[in-house]
Amino acid sequence: MQHNKILILDFGSQYTQLIARRVRELNIYCEIHPYNKIPADSESFKAVILSGSPNSVRGESALHPELDNIRGKKPMLAVCYGAQYLAHFSGGEVAESNSREYGRANLSFVKSDEVFFENIHKGSQVWMSHSDTIKQLPTNGVLLASTSDVENAAFKIEGELTYAIQFHPEVYHSTDGAQLLKNFLVKIAEVEQDWTPQSFVEETVDYLKTKIGNDKVVLGLSGGVDSSVAAMLLHKAIGKNLYCIFVNNGLLRKNEFEDVLTQYEGMGLNVKGVDASARFLDALKGLSDPELKRKAIGRVFIEVFDDEAHEIKEVKWLAQGTIYPDVIESVSATGGPSATIKSHHNVGGLPDFMKLKVVEPLKALFKDEVRRVGASMNMDKQLLGRHPFPGPGLAIRILGDITAEKVRILQEVDAVFINNLRSWNLYDKVWQAGAMLLPVNSVGVMGDERTYEKCVALRAVESTDGMTADWVNLPYEFLQKTSNEIINKVKGVNRVVYDISSKPPATIEWE
């Protein structure tokens, strides 16, 4: 990519991805790298941002970046831990705060003639998240901003293009955060804002043509946004040499296999649909543990996909819809093992026996960027606006063991829920929605007769990236209608509940 690049050094902050997304929203390309794995070509980056961290610069576990080739040589913005690091190890003082400084604060002083704070004024709201505070500025430090509780909220180093802030400009609650990042990157670092969906498509297609040449590529389509956009990019680059396979694992939404195949035909893609639902259901028989279900589905998918790939003569490449969060979440910022909640199926999961080279045209993009790239190629808005759907499908929305009858019940319930969201114009206001089939029966009364049937839980959340999520306050009238319709139309269900848990502490899916 022939763009100015910004390097973000990650010290393990929960907000590091948000920094990158805010930079990308300015049409500026950036990359996240662990603080202790600075790229060898660091001189090619136009500016550097140091992230926050859960660590303390005062502790034995303080994280020490190698900044000799960066500080004073490139514009640098240090956020939270980064700001404390510059102070603590450059002649200043960092101490434990008298009170933990978390949440909203307002700037009580701003050095108004400083370009860094151009169009940002006293009273602007910022977001604090730290338990240490900067008591004394580093050598040659110049105070730029304060809050009522944090005197040294922002400073710069005289004689360098080095700026530091104690607050987080990347989070939504810092109301002028985007302006501050723009001031630093565009006005101080003089970075061109040339990272656009159109430029990405042009450059990626040219790159794929050169890399793949006349070779054949096989791609597993899921019906989702990522694999569909990846397919369109490859189709633009290599045309008929792209072979797409869409596998029905028997755990898709109602009629989704047929509907998605029809949709892909209209896109001009070469797609083969493979109905392997019986094979998947057989492999899941008797399994209740969520991780065992995931592994069984992953194993059978690879077997089915490999069988189909062998039907294509001389295929050399496997294309995947891997996106940037998949990549960076698979690397620990502290160099140690990262906690695994759910492994990413398309990062490092390719078995040796497949003997295919991997191409990942989206691995530099966040989900919202993928959608914008798809829109720039005039892809169907309904496809691009689809809610995320778990790779294992309904298997992890059926708590306990899987049977064909349970799948039927949940498909019917899910169809009522999703169709009603669309008809009430609520679908696009929800980030993800689905239904869970619970492993319990409850007593009910239908037509003066006692029933003892299944309970389902409806789930709808709002989010930006799935890392955190809040439940959606759907209208009571909608929930009432949907509940009545499910109970009246779906045989085997006599009770509907609505999940009002946020993430954290809950997760979006139940398994």
Side-chain angles (χ1 to χ4, degrees):
M1 301 294 173
Q2 301 303 313
H3 293 274
N4 289 314
K5 299 189 295 182
I6 305 303
L7 172 61
I8 300 173
L9 293 183
D10 181 24
F11 293 86
S13 169
Q14 61 177 320
Y15 299 135
T16 303
Q17 280 199 38
L18 283 180
I19 298 175
R21 291 183 63 202
R22 294 293 177 262
V23 173
R24 297 279 186 92
E25 287 170 1
L26 293 170
N27 292 332
I28 295 173
Y29 180 70
C30 62
E31 294 178 3
I32 297 173
H33 291 270
Y35 78 96
N36 57 351
K37 295 180 182 177
I38 298 175
D41 65 339
S42 60
E43 70 280 353
S44 68
F45 290 89
K46 186 80 171 175
V48 178
I49 298 176
L50 308 184
S51 83
S53 173
N55 295 67
S56 169
V57 298
R58 301 179 299 107
E60 293 182 3
S61 61
L63 309 178
H64 295 276
E66 179 52 64
L67 299 177
D68 289 351
N69 293 326
I70 296 173
R71 184 173 169 185
K73 300 176 182 178
K74 292 184 179 296
M76 184 168 73
L77 172 62
V79 178
C80 199
Y81 179 90
Q84 294 172 359
Y85 185 88
L86 289 182
H88 189 67
F89 294 102
S90 300
E93 180 189 356
V94 174
E96 185 176 4
S97 302
N98 293 328
S99 60
R100 294 164 67 85
E101 295 165 346
Y102 289 98
R104 297 173 178 83
N106 295 94
L107 298 177
S108 58
F109 159 74
V110 173
K111 196 171 188 301
S112 57
D113 61 345
E114 174 62 48
V115 173
F116 188 59
F117 277 100
E118 192 170 294
N119 296 320
I120 302 173
H121 306 288
K122 178 180 175 181
S124 177
Q125 180 178 284
V126 297
W127 184 262
M128 297 288 186
S129 181
H130 56 266
S131 55
D132 287 347
T133 194
I134 298 169
K135 293 289 188 183
Q136 183 178 325
L137 296 179
T139 303
N140 296 328
V142 177
L143 181 66
L144 298 182
S146 306
T147 70
S148 58
D149 294 322
V150 181
E151 179 183 0
N152 299 311
F155 63 89
K156 70 175 182 179
I157 304 296
E158 196 70 59
E160 303 177 14
L161 292 180
T162 299
Y163 293 79
I165 50 179
Q166 188 65 86
F167 54 89
H168 289 269
E170 68 272 22
V171 304
Y172 171 80
H173 300 291
S174 288
T175 51
D176 291 318
Q179 181 66 51
L180 185 141
L181 289 171
K182 183 177 181 180
N183 289 345
F184 172 71
L185 293 171
V186 178
K187 297 186 177 180
I188 294 172
E190 299 180 341
V191 181
E192 292 184 27
Q193 295 173 275
D194 59 358
W195 174 249
T196 64
Q198 292 79 8
S199 68
F200 176 84
V201 171
E202 293 169 6
E203 292 168 13
T204 301
V205 169
D206 288 343
Y207 168 77
L208 292 171
K209 285 179 178 177
T210 302
K211 182 172 183 174
I212 297 170
N214 237 1
D215 293 347
K216 294 179 180 177
V217 178
V218 63
L219 167 66
L221 286 171
S222 68
V225 176
D226 300 338
S227 65
S228 300
V229 173
M232 286 303 294
L233 285 168
L234 284 157
H235 180 65
K236 278 180 171 288
I238 62 173
K240 59 181 174 51
N241 279 351
L242 173 65
Y243 294 80
C244 300
I245 298 171
F246 180 39
V247 177
N248 180 11
N249 59 12
L251 302 161
L252 303 174
R253 288 184 152 126
K254 183 180 179 180
N255 299 327
E256 185 169 24
F257 184 55
E258 296 79 6
D259 292 346
V260 169
L261 282 176
T262 300
Q263 189 171 40
Y264 282 140
E265 286 175 10
M267 294 165 62
L269 296 174
N270 174 22
V271 182
K272 179 180 180 180
V274 180
D275 188 356
S277 51
R279 191 167 169 180
F280 280 90
L281 288 174
D282 187 60
L284 287 166
K285 195 172 296 180
L287 297 182
S288 297
D289 181 86
E291 198 61 25
L292 291 179
K293 289 194 285 188
R294 287 176 181 273
K295 288 179 178 178
I297 292 168
R299 172 179 56 78
V300 176
F301 177 82
I302 288 173
E303 292 171 357
V304 172
F305 191 82
D306 189 51
D307 290 345
E308 295 300 323
H310 275 97
E311 296 295 316
I312 307 167
K313 294 181 179 179
E314 299 179 348
V315 64
K316 294 184 179 180
W317 295 85
L318 171 70
Q320 296 191 135
T322 309
I323 62 175
Y324 200 36
D326 298 340
V327 176
I328 57 182
E329 286 174 8
S330 300
V331 179
S332 170
T334 57
S338 297
T340 300
I341 298 173
K342 302 167 193 166
S343 53
H344 289 293
H345 66 283
N346 53 355
V347 178
L350 188 65
D352 292 336
F353 68 79
M354 290 191 75
K355 306 295 183 187
L356 296 174
K357 295 181 284 186
V358 176
V359 58
E360 299 167 313
L362 303 179
K363 69 178 182 179
L365 301 185
F366 290 99
K367 175 73 80 173
D368 49 346
E369 292 178 307
V370 174
R371 289 194 168 100
R372 290 199 292 271
V373 165
S376 75
M377 295 189 289
N378 298 315
M379 290 178 64
D380 184 79
K381 290 181 180 179
Q382 187 167 319
L383 188 154
L384 295 176
R386 286 191 68 185
H387 292 172
F389 188 68
L394 299 181
I396 59 168
R397 292 182 177 179
I398 298 173
L399 278 64
D401 66 318
I402 311 295
T403 67
E405 175 62 9
K406 289 180 180 179
V407 173
R408 180 200 67 79
I409 290 173
L410 191 55
Q411 284 178 331
E412 296 290 341
V413 171
D414 178 85
V416 172
F417 186 29
I418 298 301
N419 289 340
N420 281 354
L421 285 172
R422 291 191 186 280
S423 65
W424 283 59
N425 294 319
L426 293 169
Y427 186 87
D428 292 334
K429 299 176 183 178
V430 171
W431 191 76
Q432 185 171 349
M436 318 297 160
L437 184 64
L438 306 187
V440 295
N441 284 21
S442 67
V443 174
V445 178
M446 290 185 181
D448 295 329
E449 292 187 9
R450 177 185 183 276
T451 62
Y452 191 57
E453 295 179 329
K454 295 293 181 185
C455 174
V456 294
L458 306 183
R459 180 91 159 124
V461 299
E462 52 187 5
S463 179
T464 54
D465 49 23
M467 297 177 70
T468 61
D470 288 323
W471 61 279
V472 178
N473 190 5
L474 295 173
Y476 285 139
E477 295 81 5
F478 169 85
L479 292 172
Q480 181 183 47
K481 181 182 184 302
T482 302
S483 174
N484 287 342
E485 191 173 342
I486 289 170
I487 291 171
N488 287 327
K489 290 185 176 181
V490 182
K491 185 179 179 181
V493 175
N494 69 356
R495 191 176 300 272
V496 177
V497 299
Y498 186 54
D499 182 352
I500 57 170
S501 311
S502 295
K503 175 186 179 182
T507 54
I508 296 175
E509 301 294 342
W510 280 39
E511 288 192 342

